[in-house]
């Protein structure tokens, strides 16, 4: 990927909340480069979903959010929608649509003349996305007849199929079994690198985040408490400060970061 100095997502002086209640106050993140995956972690109520929704254009965000140097709020709505892909924390409603149809619908909704995602037949692309995340066998099943985890995978397929420039996933693995958690994170990381996306994934599993993310952003009380590569950002002290837990951060025999929680403080 071309990586000039302004390539990526810059979040600067961002504030947002609900009504008059501020949740995120004057938040600035280090630049999120294209082709990198950022895990956004933090305790319940930290403001992760609020921030992601705000970046996705849902909410009363003030401040500056620039993609490759371009202020997102200045772009026409349709153009912005094409650049941003968002998977909310809540599962999609169990409607009478097949999984494949729902992904095709998302492809058609989010494409425009200038979009690279227009390339190819939408049905083929939708099917390829399902195959990539390992749920091709669900293609013709109705969303209303799926398990919670299967519905979450379908929702993920809807968000990633378009390959938006900025991919924002709010707890995409929370309902998944161990294998699907790994497959999904591996696939999201691959798409991010291959297509030069800026990907932000909210998650609670810090070990899973450490394995797949290029950097970790830690939020508490609507403020950034740490940011960096997993091995440097995640420390026992940080876990005590941010999560109020006494925990050990260890490296397993194969070199992965492991978190062992001893007790709540
Ligand atoms: N629609 C809403 N109206 C008012 N307050 C809200 C609304 N949604 C969330 N909040 C409040 O905003 C704060 C941040 O919530 P948010 O959903 O962003 O947290 P989170 O970090 O995503 O937590 P979790 O890990 O539980 O998903 C919380 O105090 C929450 O109660
Ligand atoms: Mg949330």
């Amino acid at each position: 990927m071309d990586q000039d100095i302004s390539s990526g997502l810059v979040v600067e002086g961002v504030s947002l909340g609900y009504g008059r209640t501020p949740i995120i106050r004057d938040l600035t993140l280090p630049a999120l480069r294209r082709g990198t995956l950022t895990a956004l972690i933090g305790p319940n109520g930290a403001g992760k979903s609020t921030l992601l929704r705000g970046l996705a254009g849902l909410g009363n965000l003030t401040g500056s959010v620039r993609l490759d140097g371009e202020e997102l709020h200045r772009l026409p709505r349709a153009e912005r929608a094409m650049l941003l892909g968002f998977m909310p924390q809540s599962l999609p409603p169990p409607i009478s649509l097949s999984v494949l149809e729902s992904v095709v619908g998302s492809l058609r909704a989010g494409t425009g003349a200038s979009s690279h995602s227009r390339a190819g037949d939408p049905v083929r692309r939708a099917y390829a996305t399902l195959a990539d995340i390992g749920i091709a066998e669900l293609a013709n099943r109705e969303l209303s007849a799926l398990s919670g985890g299967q519905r979450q995978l379908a929702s993920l397929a809807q968000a990633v199929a378009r390959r938006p420039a900025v991919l924002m996933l709010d707890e995409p693995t929370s309902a998944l079994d161990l294998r699907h958690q790994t497959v999904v994170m591996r696939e999201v990381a691959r798409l991010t690198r291959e297509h030069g996306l800026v990907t932000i994934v909210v998650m609670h599993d810090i070990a899973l985040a450490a394995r797949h993310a290029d950097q970790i952003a830690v939020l508490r009380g609507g403020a950034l408490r740490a940011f960096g590569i997993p091995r440097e950002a995640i420390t026992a002290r940080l876990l005590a400060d941010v999560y109020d837990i006494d925990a050990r951060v260890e490296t397993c025999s194969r070199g992965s970061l492991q978190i062992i929680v001893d007790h709540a403080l």
Side-chain angles (χ1 to χ4, degrees), residues 45 47-50 89 170-171 202 204:
K48 305 178 298 297
S49 296
T50 304
Q89 186 169 359
D170 198 346
E171 299 201 30
V202 174
H204 283 295

Side-chain angles (χ1 to χ4, degrees), residues 78 81-83 104-112 115 117-118 162:
M82 264 172 2
L83 291 171
V104 170
S106 147
L107 273 172
R108 294 215 162 105
T111 52
S115 173
S117 57
R118 201 179 179 83
R162 294 192 293 115

